[in-house]
């Protein structure tokens, strides 16, 4: 990354490219790239890929600040949708880990800790973006997050609506990760076996082969079905791939609950 920055600086210097704010007419065509970067920054903050913490609050906060700035300067539906998504996801921050830093899954979170101000603001922004009828993947993801936020308890979650939103999202932005998320929602709507079949089909075709969350989801569904050997194998694969300490401890705990020993990489 540092080398790319150096090369970019050299190109700017050698080509004498002036630093100037683009004309207003050029801003919309640049928006997608900017939204993508802000989205990636937030994702790394919301679910840190490595390190000692589940989240990085500094990155989440900076991404939301940039999202607010974007919607003020260029209130396009997808900019609004992305801000809504970040607010709704970040509303769960205080409930996503225990005081000792341990990971807490969505279904086990204390929902009284969720930030209601962020939920109200995010939900209103989702409605605004959807009303435009020019929305895209960020708004659809925000709509899914809003459905989760509406549920006072896990059992009240409208999984049918969530699966329907994932169906639309897959048509707009086909992606194995979105397929995985939809499969988990199908497992919750129908039965663990239905979701497990979908996840195993994704893995069988070679997609998400090194994606730890795919194996963690697969392991959890095997566990719910009482398929202990398969659950252990999938948890172990997820553990081998993770670089985040709270996630590692969570997976080790799941493995110990299933009996036997936890294998460590040499």
């Amino acid at each position: 990354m540092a080398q790319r920055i150096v090369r970019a600086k050299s190109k700017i210097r050698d080509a004498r490219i002036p630093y100037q704010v683009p004309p207003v007419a050029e801003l919309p065509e640049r928006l997608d790239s900017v939204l993508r970067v802000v989205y990636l920054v937030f994702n790394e903050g919301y679910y840190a890929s490595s390190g000692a913490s589940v989240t990085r609050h500094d990155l989440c906060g900076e991404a939301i600040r940039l999202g607010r700035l974007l919607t003020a300067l260029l209130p396009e539906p997808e900019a609004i949708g992305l801000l809504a998504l970040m607010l709704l996801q970040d509303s769960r921050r205080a409930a996503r880990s225990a005081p000792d830093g341990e990971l807490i899954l969505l279904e086990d979170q204390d929902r009284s800790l969720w930030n209601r101000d962020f939920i109200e603001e995010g939900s209103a922004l989702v409605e605004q973006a959807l009303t435009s009828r020019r929305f895209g993947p960020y708004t659809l993801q925000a709509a899914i997050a809003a459905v989760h936020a509406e549920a006072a308890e896990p059992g009240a979650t409208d999984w049918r609506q969530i699966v329907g939103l994932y169906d639309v999202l897959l048509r707009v932005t086909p992606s194995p990760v979105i397929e995985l998320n939809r499969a988990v929602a199908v497992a919750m709507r129908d039965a663990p076996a239905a979701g497990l079949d979908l996840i195993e089909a994704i893995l069988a075709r070679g997609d998400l082969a090194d994606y730890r969350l795919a194996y963690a989801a697969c392991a959890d569904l095997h566990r719910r079905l009482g398929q202990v050997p398969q659950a252990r194998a999938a948890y172990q694969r997820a553990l081998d791939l993770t670089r985040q300490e709270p996630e590692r401890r969570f997976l080790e705990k799941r493995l110990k609950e299933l009996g036997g020993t936890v294998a460590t990489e040499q």
Side-chain angles (χ1 to χ4, degrees), residues 94-110:
R96 293 182 62 231
S97 59
D100 59 2
E102 295 305 291
L103 175 66
I104 301 176
L105 299 183
L106 176 62
E107 62 191 49
D108 299 320
Q109 290 174 14
D110 180 355

Side-chain angles (χ1 to χ4, degrees), residues 20-222:
Q20 59 188 24
V21 177
V24 174
E26 292 184 12
L27 294 181
E29 68 183 51
R30 299 179 181 219
L31 182 60
D32 285 349
S33 297
V34 175
L35 292 178
R36 175 69 174 166
V37 171
V38 174
Y39 179 66
L40 291 173
V41 170
F42 180 81
N43 274 354
E44 178 59 25
Y46 181 74
Y47 208 122
S49 59
S50 61
S53 301
V54 175
T55 58
R56 289 191 55 185
H57 300 170
D58 56 335
L59 291 181
C60 289
E62 178 63 8
I64 290 172
R65 184 189 73 83
L66 291 172
R68 292 190 186 282
L69 183 61
L70 275 171
T71 57
L73 295 173
L74 201 65
E76 290 291 316
E78 274 298 81
I80 295 169
L82 176 57
L83 177 58
L85 172 61
M86 293 189 296
L87 290 169
L88 288 163
Q89 296 285 62
D90 200 49
S91 71
R92 302 198 289 264
R93 182 198 302 176
R96 293 182 62 231
S97 59
D100 59 2
E102 295 305 291
L103 175 66
I104 301 176
L105 299 183
L106 176 62
E107 62 191 49
D108 299 320
Q109 290 174 14
D110 180 355
R111 301 190 176 208
S112 68
L113 298 176
W114 289 4
N115 186 324
R116 304 312 304 182
D117 291 337
F118 272 19
I119 290 174
E120 289 177 13
E121 183 182 2
S123 298
L125 289 170
V126 170
E127 290 188 21
Q128 181 182 345
L130 289 172
T131 301
S132 73
R133 307 198 67 79
R134 292 189 292 115
F135 55 85
Y138 300 121
T139 300
L140 288 167
Q141 290 178 73
I144 292 168
V147 175
H148 281 295
E150 289 169 0
E153 56 186 26
T157 305
D158 188 346
W159 290 106
R160 184 175 300 278
Q161 185 178 1
I162 289 175
V163 172
L165 287 167
Y166 273 124
D167 288 339
V168 178
L169 182 58
L170 267 175
R171 290 197 294 270
V172 173
T173 311
S175 159
V177 173
I178 294 172
E179 280 189 74
L180 172 65
N181 292 337
R182 179 186 179 276
V184 173
V186 168
M188 299 302 294
R189 182 194 66 181
D190 300 337
L196 183 59
D197 288 343
L198 295 173
I199 296 175
E200 290 185 333
I202 297 170
L203 293 171
R205 68 173 188 248
D207 290 328
L208 307 181
D210 296 319
Y211 190 53
R212 69 199 192 283
L213 298 182
Y215 293 99
C218 193
D220 184 64
L221 295 179
H222 278 302

